[in-house]
């Protein structure tokens, strides 16, 4: 028996299928609770997009060289 035949007999589809791990849902008790940020620390939508716009402009300028 050559190498290819031995690999083919060891890796049968039936064996590969039977080794799959069953996946299920996590219990509800394991979910994390996320603390909310105080409103005084949040930025406005306009502030966010201004910062994003500046970052995109700086990146574009650096790519253009």
């Amino acid at each position: 028996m050559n190498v290819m035949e031995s690999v083919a007999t060891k890796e049968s589809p039936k064996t590969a299928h039977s080794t799959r791990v069953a996946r299920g849902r996590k219990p509800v008790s394991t979910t994390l609770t996320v603390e909310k940020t105080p409103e005084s620390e949040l930025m406005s939508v306009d502030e966010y997009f201004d910062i994003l716009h500046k970052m995109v402009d700086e990146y574009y300028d650096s790519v253009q060289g």
Side-chain angles (χ1 to χ4, degrees):
M1 183 181 327
N2 66 23
V3 175
M4 292 303 284
E5 288 174 347
S6 65
V7 170
T9 57
K10 289 181 182 178
E11 296 292 325
S12 69
K14 187 175 182 181
T15 304
H17 186 14
S18 64
T19 58
R20 294 178 77 189
V21 177
R23 295 181 183 155
R25 292 185 176 186
K26 291 182 180 179
V28 176
S29 61
T30 61
T31 58
L32 299 173
T33 56
V34 178
E35 295 181 25
K36 293 185 177 182
T37 304
E39 286 189 32
S40 61
E41 294 182 13
L42 297 176
M43 68 174 68
S44 71
V45 174
D46 290 333
E47 289 174 324
Y48 174 80
F49 282 107
D50 285 342
I51 293 170
L52 182 63
H53 189 258
K54 288 176 186 175
M55 290 172 59
V56 170
D57 284 345
E58 289 173 1
Y59 176 76
Y60 182 75
D61 289 342
S62 72
V63 171
Q64 292 297 315

